[in-house]
Amino acid sequence: QVQLVESGGGLVQAGGSLRLSCAAAGRILSSYAMGWFRQAPGKEREFVAHISWSGGNTDYADSVKGRFTISRDNAKNTVYLQMNSLKPEDTAVYYCAVGPSATATEWRYTSWGQGTQVTVSS
């Protein structure tokens, strides 16, 4: 079982940037795909981005394309989400997840982090 710990969340003004990190313990991530999801108050959790085990394949939700970038450093067992041009509607708890394949389908991920809060003020 892999343990994931997110960090880097916080309060930022609209137009600002944050970089989230997801560090893994207990298993090496290099053979697994990773995803970022988010859940805003009163809404269901939604897909944000995913990256293949090699880092060569990425995909994003339409709402974040051109603003967010997912990357990974397998040597550090860490995945990142660089978030630029943040909007108030990006406010949510952000979760990272690990799974056998890069997908936007939530149930295909087998382990999840505890989440990190991102709040964007207008």
Side-chain angles (χ1 to χ4, degrees), residues 8-75:
L11 173 64
V12 64
Q13 288 187 333
S17 298
L18 284 173
R19 188 177 80 155
L20 305 183
S21 299
C22 174
R27 185 172 295 179
I28 296 175
L29 291 182
S30 59
S31 298
Y32 296 89
M34 299 293 297
W36 283 98
F37 292 75
R38 67 186 182 186
Q39 186 168 22
K43 295 186 177 181
E44 294 186 351
R45 190 157 57 185
E46 64 177 4
F47 165 73
V48 175
H50 67 63
I51 187 167
S52 60
W53 67 270
S54 67
N57 180 29
T58 60
D59 196 17
Y60 300 89
D62 288 342
S63 59
V64 307
K65 277 182 181 176
R67 300 188 297 123
F68 290 12
T69 302
I70 188 171
S71 62
R72 66 191 299 160
D73 185 339
N74 287 338

Side-chain angles (χ1 to χ4, degrees), residues 41-120:
K43 295 186 177 181
E44 294 186 351
R45 190 157 57 185
E46 64 177 4
F47 165 73
V48 175
H50 67 63
I51 187 167
S52 60
W53 67 270
S54 67
N57 180 29
T58 60
D59 196 17
Y60 300 89
D62 288 342
S63 59
V64 307
K65 277 182 181 176
R67 300 188 297 123
F68 290 12
T69 302
I70 188 171
S71 62
R72 66 191 299 160
D73 185 339
N74 287 338
K76 295 182 178 180
N77 231 22
T78 301
V79 175
Y80 305 97
L81 185 68
Q82 178 67 44
M83 306 186 295
N84 299 328
S85 302
L86 283 162
K87 305 175 181 179
E89 51 263 43
D90 293 319
T91 295
V93 177
Y94 284 70
Y95 299 89
C96 66
V98 62
S101 60
T103 175
T105 304
E106 186 174 332
W107 64 264
R108 291 188 179 273
Y109 290 88
T110 56
S111 294
W112 293 79
Q114 83 290 347
T116 185
Q117 176 70 47
V118 171
T119 303
V120 184

